[in-house]
Amino acid sequence: MQEDMRLSVFAEKKDKQLIYYPEKCIGCGTCVQACPKGNLTVGAVGAITRGLLDADFLEIKEREACLVCGICAKVCPTGALEMKQEGKTLTDMSYLSRAMKPTSVNESCVHCGLCEDICPQGCIEVTREISADGKLKLVGKTNIDTECCVHCGWCAEVCPVNAISVEKPFEGRWTRDENICQTCHTCVEVCPANAIFNKKAKPGERVEKISHRPDACIYCGACAIACPVDAIDVRKTAILPDMEKKGVLEKKLLEAPVQPAQLRTYLETDEAACLGCGNCVIVCPVNALSDRELAAGHLNNMDEKALLGVKNGRISVIDQDRCGADGTCALICPVDAIRLVKREVE
């Protein structure tokens, strides 16, 4: 329940408060797009999702500069941002998370459990047992935690009796540049809706690097925020729920590019622990984008790397500002000789 969630008071003005619930945030940056003062920042979504950085997806730059206008809370699809006035939560239909119909299950449900198995957020719990009336059927309950539901639609799609109803937050357009994508899988892990995946290839078969499930996508933009090489573009083309004052929010969001992620980390290395194996240099998507030979594992064929290099048998960070904060280097290092450290938002 929301009462048990950790919260942060982002800003206060007179009798109003802007509250942030990190556990509900999916790192999509929709609020960053909408903020009229440009006072919110999102970044390091990949590293945080992968458990490599102890931080929240979203931060406020200057609390005093916040207007506490609530536009960020109005566009948040998960209710991670909330407005309070005189201590009471504002819940009118001008807030997307409130206007969106909650995911629900009707009496046709047979409690088969497919929805529970497929839910990417683990929001569904099904309890069932064999009926005691002599009939060949299951009885039980299907409970959907609407506080953590991201409205992806997986549950409704797999339900064999069409017992589940889901309303999506946005329509949109998702594109990826095959030539830029380095298959680092950051987008796959970040996506809250399991809408991005890797196809399994047969021997000798060539498949696209990353594939997209349009029917599952909520066009939030978290994948584009997290991509360390900016290979993904997500555009919202419609706000689907019937909201009050929707036109104002549409002007802010529709066809707008995802805001660039702010670099909120720096790479810290342990030269004493480093083996000089070069695995981090090869898998770094920023490095790989700079030269195909490096991406293919030809570590010693290049003198100049974009971000990471091995010098005198030890890891070297060449340009901190080019890091995409995805954490792929830290994941592959066998001795924890490279890690991401949080830097203060400027």
Side-chain angles (χ1 to χ4, degrees), residues 31-232:
C31 55
V32 179
Q33 287 180 292
C35 178
K37 299 289 285 185
N39 200 31
L40 294 172
T41 182
V42 65
V45 174
I48 294 169
T49 299
R50 287 169 161 167
L52 300 170
L53 186 69
D54 184 14
D56 299 330
F57 292 137
L58 188 67
E59 289 187 340
I60 189 166
K61 297 177 183 178
E62 297 181 37
R63 297 179 189 276
E64 296 77 15
C66 179
L67 301 174
V68 198
C69 63
I71 290 179
C72 56
K74 289 177 186 290
V75 301
C76 178
T78 63
L81 287 168
E82 182 179 88
M83 283 289 294
K84 287 181 179 288
Q85 187 166 16
E86 296 180 346
K88 296 181 180 179
T89 301
L90 300 180
T91 59
D92 61 68
M93 297 297 283
S94 66
Y95 292 83
L96 175 61
S97 62
R98 301 294 178 178
M100 202 161 21
K101 297 182 182 69
T103 299
S104 60
V105 57
N106 63 36
E107 59 187 17
S108 300
C109 177
V110 294
H111 314 295
C112 65
L114 285 176
C115 55
E116 182 181 24
D117 292 341
I118 202 69
C119 178
Q121 294 293 317
C123 299
I124 302 176
E125 181 180 8
V126 178
T127 57
R128 58 185 180 273
E129 59 184 0
I130 297 175
S131 174
D133 61 4
K135 295 181 180 179
L136 302 183
K137 66 177 184 179
L138 295 172
V139 294
K141 290 184 178 180
T142 299
N143 296 313
I144 300 175
D145 183 353
T146 56
E147 291 292 335
C148 80
C149 176
V150 296
H151 298 258
C152 63
W154 269 108
C155 55
E157 192 66 29
V158 302
C159 180
V161 292
N162 297 320
I164 301 178
S165 300
V166 178
E167 183 174 42
K168 297 257 191 175
F170 307 110
E171 280 184 352
R173 186 171 63 254
W174 186 96
T175 56
R176 179 185 56 85
D177 191 324
E178 181 82 359
N179 294 321
I180 295 178
C181 174
Q182 300 302 311
T183 325
C184 64
H185 295 185
T186 307
C187 57
V188 176
E189 296 182 43
V190 161
C191 178
N194 193 17
I196 306 175
F197 67 105
N198 297 108
K199 288 182 179 178
K200 293 183 178 179
K202 299 176 182 178
E205 181 185 11
R206 182 173 181 174
V207 297
E208 58 187 352
K209 295 175 181 177
I210 297 294
S211 299
H212 179 237
R213 297 183 176 105
D215 291 339
C217 188
I218 59 174
Y219 300 98
C220 65
C223 55
I225 288 280
C227 180
V229 292
D230 298 326
I232 298 175

Side-chain angles (χ1 to χ4, degrees), residues 19-31:
I19 309 294
Y20 174 53
Y21 292 94
E23 292 172 42
K24 299 182 74 173
C25 182
I26 56 176
C28 68
T30 303
C31 55

Side-chain angles (χ1 to χ4, degrees), residues 182 229 278-295 299 302 304-310 315-316 318 322:
Q182 300 302 311
V229 292
N279 285 342
C280 58
V281 178
I282 294 170
V283 301
C284 171
V286 176
N287 270 3
L289 178 62
S290 70
D291 193 282
R292 291 181 180 273
E293 287 193 10
L294 179 60
L299 178 64
M302 292 178 58
E304 295 296 328
K305 279 82 173 177
L307 175 56
L308 294 174
V310 174
I315 183 64
S316 171
I318 298 164
R322 295 191 66 176

